[in-house]
Structure formats: C-alpha cells, structure tokens
Amino acid sequence: MQNQKNRSVQLDQGVKPLAFIKCEKDSYVFLHNDNLYFKDGTLKLPIYNNKIILSAQTIKNMILQLEMQTAGLKPPSLVKIPAPMNKNNILQINQILEELNAHYSKKNNKLKSIIIILFLLIAFFLSGAGGILGWYFLNNSSIIEKPNNSFNPNIGTIKVHGPNLASSVTSLIQLSNLNILAGTTNGDIFSLDDSANINYKKTPFNSTITAMAQFSNNRLFAAVNKKIYELTWEGEIKKLLNKENNDEFSSNVTAITEISNNHILAGTEDGTIYELNYDGEITKKIIDHQLNSSIKSIIEENDYILVATTDGIIYKLNKNWEIVDMLPYYLSFTSLIKLLSENNIMLGGTDKGSIYQINLKDNASIKVTQPNGETITGAIFGIVQIKNGDIFIGSGNGDIFILNNK
C-alpha cells in the first residue's frame, strides 16, 4: 500500500481501511471487499502488482476512528489466542505479532496495542473466509527525490528567457520544417524560430488549445476541448476531424502522441486513453477512466508507454495496453519529455513552475536549481526538445524559455 502525502482524499473514492500496519520496508492495509468495489462490481481504485494508493488523510482518519472505538475498552489481564489449525497459520500470526509489537512499542500504550492486535488477528482469520481483501505491498519502485551521480545539474537550467505570449502556453511542438509552434489558452498559435523569436501569430480558435502533435505522415493535429482538428503547418484550421457522427471523447483531450506501429494515442482530463486513426477518429478505448486524474504526457519508452498525470503518478503500460506499474512522484507533473541526448533521463515540468530531472532506471529524481535565483511563473504545460538539442518550455505566465540540454 502506498501512502501518498499530497493526494486529495476525494481521489480515494470513499475507500476506508479497517486497519493499517506501517513497517520499515512494507506497509499493509486491511480492506473489506464491499468497500473496495462500486455497486456495479467495478473497482473504486486501480490495483496493479498488488499496489494500491491512498491519501495520507484517509490513513489518518482510520487511525482516529480506531482510537475512538478503543478508548473506552478495558482488556482482560490475560489474553489467550486460540491455537490455529496448522503450522503455516502459527508462523503467520507470530510474524504479525512481532511486527505489531515493534510498531506500537514506541507509543508505550499497552492497552491500545493489545486491542488493536486482537482486532487485526480477527481480521486475519476473516480474510480466509473472503471477508477481507488482503495485504497490499508498499510500492518499492516509488521515485524519491535524491542526489544521483547519473544526473547533470546543468540540464534544465535556463539558457534564454524568451518572449511573453500574453496568455498561458499550453503546448509546444517542432514541425518537420523546424518551425516551433506554441499553443495558448487564448486559442492563439505562435510560430517561433530556434532562438525563440516570434515569426508570426495566428488565432484559429477562441478557446484553449489543449494539445498539438505532428505525425510521421506530416499531418498536424490540435485538440480544443473534446474536438480534434487538422491544421496547416502555418497554424490555420484545415478541417474538423472527429465529427458529430463519430464517437466523442469522455472529456477534454489533454495529450496526443504517435507511437510505433502507427498508433496514435489521446489522453483526457478524466484519465481515459483512446487509440485514434490518422483521420482523428476514435478506434478503441484503451484505458477507461482508470487513472483518476488529468493525463498530461504520453511517452513511448522502449517496450512500454509512460503516462504522466497531474496527481503525481506516472503509469507504465505494456503494448497490450495493460497497466503494469505505477510510479508515484509526489509531484503534479504537467509536462514530461524523454531527453534525446541522455540515456534514461527525462525532464518534467510541474504545476508550480519547477523543473525536475527523472532517472527511471535508478528510481530517482532531482529538482533543477535555476541560476541567479531566476524563477518560472505558473505551470509548465508545454515542453519540447528541438532538433539542435535545446529544450523549449512555455509557462502559465506566457513566457517562453530555452533550457540547457547538457
């Protein structure tokens, strides 16, 4: 079980653990089947590789409730535990008792310790009858911020503070003709050169451009709300792609990318991923509302697909579109790219305007320290590494920056 400090309690969908054991390496939680599923039989929370994520507030609420329930109870002077039926159960119970005694000895409260031990033992026996879902292991692959020799502290530092585009930058891409396009919340598209100078401005939309992508066939797509448009390379509307008679997206499209084998993926605000054809039409729903928060980046990494979400989790999918891992960051990533010049290093922007280097191989990350105390104001929704290696980002304040790549 992963206890996420900054996670909103609303994301837990009302899941309430019966009990919780925090140990040095692994944490465990008891959950009742009826509390983990909706009435239609679907899971309230995603479970992958025996991992579940709950907010710190949910765990705190459970502890407070247990303390209130046990406050007025007086245990007998001697507690006898019935002998289990087999040796395996004896070993399991002894292990639980050892872990519980170690955990609660620091509190020096024998009364509550004994009561909670009894409660967990009862829950343990009930689990054999299907009343308790079971144990969920702490996510050992969670990425923590720590120094690592594989990081270059200069990558991601500000090289050039470019122009201000007068509204929040929501997307950045480089076309095959090397022009750089920036989409904004005003519906504007700016063309930039590789020094971040503005070439021209177009205003094809009157609402926020939430994603842009150019594909291997050189077609340029832009997402506005639930609609996908094809644009000219100059940023003008060519045609609406997903028309009224086609399937609609469940919510606003926030990420579009092309991966190998001619697959186009689109992610939405409500955590759904769709597969599209090259006409922008939905061909398949790959992930149905399972990611619990807005999808901001979809990246192909070897045999896997990495999906960055605003609740601080990067989901790892295989090519069968199955979620095989969850990597909690405790950071709200609003953009993420894989660096072309660095093995295993990714660069992510957050809702607070911070830049992080991420090493997936070593499960580590560091926050990039900007020189001379310079800051980036607003969330970083747009990020792209252009052909010459420079990294362009756009901020919620409308500023364009060029970052160092080495």
Side-chain angles (χ1 to χ4, degrees):
M1 193 283 303
Q2 175 68 52
N3 173 15
Q4 194 175 64
K5 182 167 54 177
N6 296 324
R7 178 183 171 93
S8 169
V9 71
Q10 282 76 23
L11 293 176
D12 294 344
Q13 303 284 354
V15 170
K16 297 178 180 179
L18 297 174
F20 171 74
I21 305 175
K22 182 178 181 182
C23 303
E24 183 178 353
K25 292 184 178 180
D26 297 316
S27 292
Y28 308 94
V29 65
F30 281 107
L31 297 169
H32 198 281
N33 262 350
D34 294 341
N35 186 241
L36 193 60
Y37 291 87
F38 291 112
K39 291 183 179 179
D40 63 0
T42 58
L43 280 167
K44 293 182 179 180
L45 296 174
I47 301 172
Y48 311 110
N49 289 345
N50 292 330
K51 301 170 188 174
I52 192 170
I53 294 178
L54 294 172
S55 66
Q57 187 60 47
T58 291
I59 299 300
K60 183 179 179 181
N61 292 344
M62 180 227 33
I63 293 172
L64 291 174
Q65 185 176 5
L66 278 177
E67 288 178 347
M68 287 189 292
Q69 290 173 346
T70 60
L73 297 179
K74 294 182 179 180
S77 57
L78 180 62
V79 178
K80 294 183 179 180
I81 301 173
M85 296 299 295
N86 56 59
K87 293 181 179 180
N88 289 333
N89 282 347
I90 293 173
L91 292 174
Q92 289 172 323
I93 291 173
N94 286 339
Q95 183 180 1
I96 293 172
L97 286 172
E98 289 173 2
E99 291 178 350
L100 285 169
N101 286 334
H103 177 66
Y104 286 101
S105 61
K106 295 181 180 180
K107 295 187 175 182
N108 196 25
N109 191 330
K110 295 181 181 180
L111 175 61
K112 292 182 181 179
S113 296
I114 293 173
I115 294 170
I116 293 173
I117 289 171
L118 287 172
F119 177 81
L120 291 176
L121 286 171
I122 293 170
F124 177 79
F125 284 113
L126 287 176
S127 67
I132 304 298
L133 181 63
W135 302 100
Y136 286 94
F137 294 97
L138 178 67
N139 179 4
N140 291 321
S141 62
S142 61
I143 298 177
I144 59 174
E145 185 180 346
K146 60 182 180 181
N148 189 286
N149 293 332
S150 61
F151 291 120
N152 180 339
N154 195 51
I155 294 176
T157 56
I158 296 172
K159 179 180 178 181
V160 175
H161 190 159
N164 184 278
L165 305 186
S167 62
S168 297
V169 179
T170 55
S171 55
L172 276 168
I173 63 168
Q174 185 177 39
L175 303 179
S176 53
N177 66 1
L178 303 185
N179 280 347
I180 300 159
L181 297 185
T184 71
T185 53
N186 285 348
D188 300 325
I189 292 179
F190 290 83
S191 171
L192 309 172
D193 63 21
D194 59 10
S195 297
N197 299 308
I198 298 175
N199 295 323
Y200 59 82
K201 168 188 170 184
K202 302 283 186 179
T203 307
F205 305 106
N206 58 10
S207 57
T208 301
I209 300 168
T210 52
M212 288 195 296
Q214 186 184 36
F215 306 123
S216 55
N217 60 6
N218 288 325
R219 295 178 72 180
L220 174 61
F221 284 11
V224 177
N225 299 324
K226 295 182 181 181
K227 299 296 183 184
I228 302 288
Y229 296 83
E230 183 175 2
L231 305 180
T232 67
W233 285 13
E234 289 72 36
E236 297 174 332
I237 296 175
K238 200 170 183 180
K239 61 182 176 180
L240 173 64
L241 294 175
N242 55 328
K243 300 178 181 177
E244 297 300 327
N245 59 335
N246 300 131
D247 292 335
E248 278 203 347
F249 296 100
S250 55
S251 62
N252 293 341
V253 177
T254 50
I256 307 175
T257 193
E258 181 182 30
I259 63 172
S260 57
N261 300 323
N262 299 319
H263 290 291
I264 298 173
L265 303 182
T268 65
E269 278 184 336
D270 64 0
T272 301
I273 299 178
Y274 298 86
E275 184 178 356
L276 312 180
N277 61 24
Y278 281 95
D279 290 322
E281 299 169 338
I282 296 171
T283 58
K284 187 189 302 182
K285 186 183 286 187
I286 293 171
I287 300 294
D288 190 0
H289 298 83
Q290 289 174 261
L291 306 189
N292 291 329
S293 66
S294 180
I295 295 168
K296 290 304 180 183
S297 295
I298 303 174
I299 300 170
E300 186 172 21
E301 170 67 8
N302 297 323
D303 294 328
Y304 296 96
I305 307 298
L306 301 177
V307 181
T309 60
T310 52
D311 67 355
I313 299 173
I314 291 181
Y315 293 85
K316 189 176 183 180
L317 283 65
N318 61 24
K319 293 299 179 68
N320 293 320
W321 316 127
E322 299 166 329
I323 300 174
V324 297
D325 207 354
M326 299 185 297
L327 309 174
Y329 278 80
Y330 310 103
L331 297 165
S332 181
F333 282 114
T334 47
S335 57
L336 188 71
I337 60 167
K338 178 184 176 182
L339 295 180
L340 303 175
S341 54
E342 298 289 327
N343 291 331
N344 302 311
I345 300 295
M346 306 182 79
L347 208 65
T350 73
D351 60 343
K352 305 297 184 184
S354 299
I355 298 289
Y356 281 79
Q357 291 182 39
I358 303 145
N359 188 317
L360 292 176
K361 182 180 179 181
D362 295 338
N363 291 339
S365 69
I366 60 167
K367 182 178 179 179
V368 176
T369 302
Q370 298 299 341
N372 304 317
E374 191 165 6
T375 59
I376 300 168
T377 303
I380 300 170
F381 291 113
I383 184 168
V384 64
Q385 187 172 22
I386 65 174
K387 295 292 192 298
N388 69 8
D390 284 341
I391 302 161
F392 275 58
I393 66 167
S395 76
N397 195 41
D399 290 321
I400 297 292
F401 295 87
I402 302 177
L403 309 181
N404 289 299
N405 71 312
K406 55 185 179 180

